[in-house]
Amino acid sequence: MYSNKNEGPRRGRSFDSMNIGFEEKLLNNEINKSTFTKIEENSEKNNTSEKGRATIIFSLKNEVGGLVKALRLFQENHVNLVHIESRKSKRRNSEFEIFVDCDSNHEQLNEIIHLLRKHVNVVDMDPPDNSCLHEEDMYDVPWFPKKISDLDKCANRVLMYGSELDADHPGFKDNVYRKRRKYFADLAMAFKHGDPIPRIEFTEEEVKTWGVVYRELNKLYPTHACREYLKNLPLLSKYCEFREDNIPQLEDVSRFLRERTGFTIRPVAGYLSPRDFLAGLAFRVFHCTQYVRHSSDPLYTPEPDTCHELLGHVPLLAEPSFAQFSQEIGLASLGASDDSVQKLATCYFFTVEFGLCKQEGQLRAYGAGLLSSISELKHALSGNARIMPFDPRVTSKQECIITTFQDVYFVSESFEEAKVKMREFAKTIKRPFTVRYNPYTQSVDVLKDTPSINSVVEELRHELDIVGDALSRLNKQLGV
């Protein structure tokens, strides 16, 4: 339980045994007085870079109005109360202790302690810890998006293809196809966070190409795809019109994913750098192409297209455990060195793109590159492919091949196992901070100093309080 700094102190749960009702009224009156307003107005003048979070625990002496007098001292000395609650004393069963969190520097803390001793018994205190990173420690950290709208700054840095095709691309000599590709690229380049994804009227040729891929892959899925994929594909058929004769609209798919796992789709013109692509995953944003491969060879594409994205990636992005696994790789990449990002991207490649798992004693595919490629899906599960256990330290050094089958495929017992291994691997990445995704603001909190870490701790306390309340109610229902 905590209070916003600008709201002033709030009481804890158990003041009643200290005859606190009367004092609480007095306290509320004090908080509403102009004295407190003046303190708020002057807070910037009194805040210095030396301030940090301090904790004071005290018990009341046997005098009327002791609590109000004590708290008034914080107001008069311009010390901002962040959190206040009462606790049953661990020292004397008959007493309660007041636990106060405040913003204070060492000088203020010493002064307030001296004044408090006249009215209360100070039991314990934890002086402010002003540990933090110096700005020079952040100089060499590559730029990374801090909020979801920052993806607008990097989503258009396409490295390959887009509206331009290589000479060996199946559609290179097809002017109609090239014009169509430019249309899709322009739509993606114009997209900004918050925009609805443009709905596409696909051509008859595009729908036919999609239909061939959809039909042939669905023959293999029952015996080759993991159970999570098989569970989610029918849901996509029901809610997003995944059908042989229809190419789903990305806006419909994005809404479906948002409700399932919080992931959303963002259209992209072509290949992004590993850093820019993984940064999107940190915000549960999947950069997705909207164009269709060339019709001359429906079962081959030299690049990700909408068949690969929708049939390979989307069904598993609708799975909570897999969605979290993907996001954690993205979060680990933010602010990491180029070498570390490459290692993370390689792990992503051999899991999210070409990963295998074991289910009911059988190998099954969960990688999108496999689940959208008929020939490689058959090869990976043929018994002739080289299979190794997924270990990020080993996997991150493996060469990624995009023109032929992989030399080796990595298998995990489950998404949870892969997630645990990636978490441990992410801890080895050298950067002077860690990050945490805030789903309420769709931003990342950079944890680099004591106040930022304390803020997370306060939120976790609140979440644990909710869990504790739920368990208490459940125990009452069960008669425990």
Side-chain angles (χ1 to χ4, degrees), residues 96-111:
F96 279 79
E97 295 172 350
I98 310 302
F99 175 95
V100 172
D101 264 347
C102 59
D103 284 336
S104 170
N105 57 35
H106 288 279
E107 184 179 344
Q108 283 180 315
L109 183 64
N110 290 335
E111 183 178 354

Side-chain angles (χ1 to χ4, degrees), residues 179-417:
K179 184 178 179 181
R180 184 68 167 164
R181 285 292 295 266
K182 186 178 186 309
Y183 167 74
F184 282 112
D186 290 344
L187 286 180
M189 291 291 191
F191 182 87
K192 299 295 181 186
H193 170 68
D195 292 347
I197 303 174
R199 292 186 174 271
I200 304 299
E201 186 174 342
F202 290 99
T203 66
E204 183 178 342
E205 185 177 33
E206 287 168 339
V207 174
K208 184 179 178 181
T209 300
W210 157 272
V212 171
V213 179
Y214 183 93
R215 182 175 62 252
E216 295 304 315
L217 282 171
N218 270 271
K219 294 176 183 178
L220 296 176
Y221 287 154
T223 54
H224 289 66
C226 66
R227 72 170 75 94
E228 292 82 0
Y229 185 96
L230 297 176
K231 177 184 74 175
N232 290 322
L233 188 58
L235 296 176
L236 288 161
S237 298
K238 180 179 181 180
Y239 295 107
C240 301
E241 298 187 87
F242 273 52
R243 300 194 311 268
E244 183 178 336
D245 63 348
N246 178 71
I247 302 177
Q249 296 291 333
L250 293 190
E251 179 66 18
D252 296 337
V253 173
S254 188
R255 289 178 180 176
F256 174 79
L257 290 178
R258 185 186 293 114
E259 292 181 1
R260 296 282 296 180
T261 62
F263 253 90
T264 56
I265 298 294
R266 179 177 180 126
V268 68
Y271 273 114
L272 294 176
S273 70
R275 183 180 295 280
D276 290 340
F277 180 79
L278 294 181
L281 297 180
F283 296 87
R284 296 210 170 200
V285 171
F286 184 75
H287 289 89
C288 186
T289 55
Q290 209 165 7
Y291 52 80
V292 181
R293 63 192 63 183
H294 195 262
S295 60
S296 62
D297 190 354
L299 302 183
Y300 167 75
T301 176
E303 60 188 319
D305 74 330
T306 201
C307 300
H308 166 77
E309 316 281 36
L310 294 176
L311 292 173
H313 284 286
V314 166
L316 282 168
L317 287 174
E319 188 65 28
S321 60
F322 183 84
Q324 187 175 6
F325 172 72
S326 299
Q327 183 185 29
E328 290 193 9
I329 295 178
L331 288 169
S333 75
L334 298 181
S337 66
D338 291 343
D339 180 63
S340 294
V341 168
Q342 188 56 52
K343 289 178 179 178
L344 289 167
T346 302
C347 287
Y348 178 91
F349 185 85
F350 283 106
T351 53
V352 179
E353 290 289 355
F354 290 95
L356 299 174
C357 61
K358 287 183 181 178
Q359 294 181 342
E360 286 81 42
Q362 301 292 320
L363 282 180
R364 291 290 183 266
Y366 71 87
L370 296 175
L371 292 166
S372 60
S373 170
I374 295 165
S375 57
E376 191 155 11
L377 181 56
K378 289 179 178 178
H379 167 71
L381 274 67
S382 66
N384 297 322
R386 183 183 171 207
I387 309 294
M388 292 179 61
F390 173 61
D391 179 348
R393 294 170 299 179
V394 176
T395 305
S396 63
K397 300 174 183 177
Q398 182 65 34
E399 181 185 3
C400 304
I401 303 173
I402 60 173
T403 54
T404 62
F405 296 160
Q406 301 305 312
D407 292 334
V408 61
Y409 300 91
F410 293 90
V411 61
S412 300
E413 294 294 330
S414 66
F415 297 145
E416 288 302 317
E417 181 200 59

